[in-house]
Amino acid sequence: WGEQEIESIREEESKTRRHNQQSNEIDANVAIHNQKYDFIIGSDIAYRDHLHAPLISSLLHFSHEHTVSLIGITMNDTKPKFFDSLLEAGFRYERLADHFMEREFRGKNFGIFAIQRCR
């Protein structure tokens, strides 16, 4: 075997390893995207109107009937339309009492909402 043949074999092996690694990464991504989660936590993710639909779509995709989503929301930035859209998508929500938050956030325009699918 000459150096060119050996180099060609090494390049093919390297391509095969990269291909296998990419396939494994794709499989892992598919597995993650097909999972349902018990808890989903986010903050400052509902203040842009044009992001309501993708956010609610993600909640639908990644939640099951027992999932609890905790979303921190600044009331000045998040319009009632977001909450209407949650209800239309089959969710219910409840603002958590202020005593669950640090003192500095109590009585402010910030709230934590528990969101669940309606059963």
Side-chain angles (χ1 to χ4, degrees), residues 53-97:
L55 172 58
I56 292 170
S57 176
S58 294
L59 290 174
L60 284 167
H61 181 80
F62 291 112
S63 67
H64 52 74
E65 66 179 29
H66 299 291
T67 298
V68 175
S69 299
L70 297 174
I71 308 293
I73 293 176
T74 303
M75 300 309 292
N76 291 350
D77 297 334
T78 305
K79 298 181 179 98
K81 177 182 172 187
F82 171 67
F83 298 100
D84 293 340
S85 296
L86 281 173
L87 294 174
E88 289 170 11
F91 288 99
R92 59 189 167 102
Y93 63 88
E94 178 181 355
R95 182 176 179 174
L96 300 183

Side-chain angles (χ1 to χ4, degrees), residues 12-108:
E12 283 301 316
E13 288 175 347
S14 178
K15 285 181 188 177
T16 300
R17 277 194 299 277
R18 281 194 305 270
H19 174 75
N20 289 342
Q21 182 180 9
Q22 289 172 344
S23 294
N24 290 339
E25 289 171 5
I26 290 170
D27 290 345
N29 284 335
V30 168
I32 288 170
H33 291 295
N34 288 329
Q35 285 188 5
K36 304 290 184 186
Y37 296 91
D38 294 331
F39 295 98
I40 298 172
I41 301 171
S43 184
D44 298 321
I45 56 176
Y47 61 92
R48 300 268 187 224
D49 291 349
H50 70 278
L51 296 177
H52 292 174
L55 172 58
I56 292 170
S57 176
S58 294
L59 290 174
L60 284 167
H61 181 80
F62 291 112
S63 67
H64 52 74
E65 66 179 29
H66 299 291
T67 298
V68 175
S69 299
L70 297 174
I71 308 293
I73 293 176
T74 303
M75 300 309 292
N76 291 350
D77 297 334
T78 305
K79 298 181 179 98
K81 177 182 172 187
F82 171 67
F83 298 100
D84 293 340
S85 296
L86 281 173
L87 294 174
E88 289 170 11
F91 288 99
R92 59 189 167 102
Y93 63 88
E94 178 181 355
R95 182 176 179 174
L96 300 183
D98 277 354
H99 71 269
F100 288 113
M101 295 189 290
E102 293 290 327
R103 289 190 189 278
E104 66 188 271
F105 296 106
R106 294 178 188 171
K108 307 283 180 169

